[in-house]
Amino acid sequence: MDYTLLPALAGFAFVSSITPGPNNLMLMASGANFGFTRSIPHMLGIGIGFTVMILLVGLGLIGLFDLFPLSYTLLKIFSIVYLTWLAWKIANAAPPSAGESGGIPMTFLQAALFQWVNPKAWSMALTAITAYAPERTVGSIVMVGLVFGIINLPCVSTWTVMGQQIRRILNRPRWLRAFNIFMALLLVLSALPVLLLK
């Protein structure tokens, strides 16, 4: 890897990790519904799961899309269907009562596995490898993964904190319900740009 590209890679990792997308919207909803502490496994699952995804994409999975272009189309369709189902679950989440745990946040494993059906994660991983590790050497792929691993977790955690702070405003069940419906709609809308990707 050309190490002069590191600042550009770090900038790409920051911008793509901090901007709205399925992971960040779900973490904001999790922060509002479950608080920061109960959302830590979800955050770690995203950070570690996405780093592993970048490594595996760079080490060979990117070639599958070259060999079987239909696989990318099928992945997009499955991703959008799954995101729609998740949005429905968020929209219909029962608000927790005072003093009750109120549902179950996403686990570490669920969040890590979610990266494989997250259209934004695929777009980020494919772009990062193509732009910053075009030679696809192990060293360059590991460097891309490390940069994302270091930058991604603090970025996604910010969305959980924002959700937790919003919860102070959403102290009535109907307001939290309206927030969950709004976040579900945003989650579905976040998948729409994927339909435009070739």
Side-chain angles (χ1 to χ4, degrees), residues 93-116:
S97 303
E100 292 181 5
S101 60
I104 302 169
M106 192 172 269
T107 67
F108 173 88
L109 185 59
Q110 289 170 331
L113 292 176
F114 174 71
Q115 303 319 298
W116 296 96

Side-chain angles (χ1 to χ4, degrees), residues 100-195:
E100 292 181 5
S101 60
I104 302 169
M106 192 172 269
T107 67
F108 173 88
L109 185 59
Q110 289 170 331
L113 292 176
F114 174 71
Q115 303 319 298
W116 296 96
V117 293
N118 179 351
K120 184 182 178 189
W122 273 106
S123 176
M124 289 165 57
L126 292 170
T127 302
I129 294 299
T130 302
Y132 299 103
E135 67 282 4
R136 297 184 196 169
T137 63
V138 173
S140 63
I141 292 165
V142 168
M143 183 59 66
V144 171
L146 285 175
V147 169
F148 265 93
I150 291 167
I151 292 174
N152 184 269
L153 187 59
C155 289
V156 299
S157 300
T158 302
W159 285 81
T160 310
V161 172
M162 287 192 300
Q164 184 180 30
Q165 296 307 310
I166 286 173
R167 176 58 190 263
R168 297 170 192 237
I169 301 167
L170 306 173
N171 53 10
R172 294 186 182 168
R174 70 176 182 211
W175 292 358
L176 185 58
R177 170 101 170 127
F179 171 79
N180 285 342
I181 291 170
F182 180 67
M183 295 307 292
L185 289 172
L186 287 179
L187 183 59
V188 171
L189 289 175
S190 74
L192 292 182
V194 175
L195 293 174

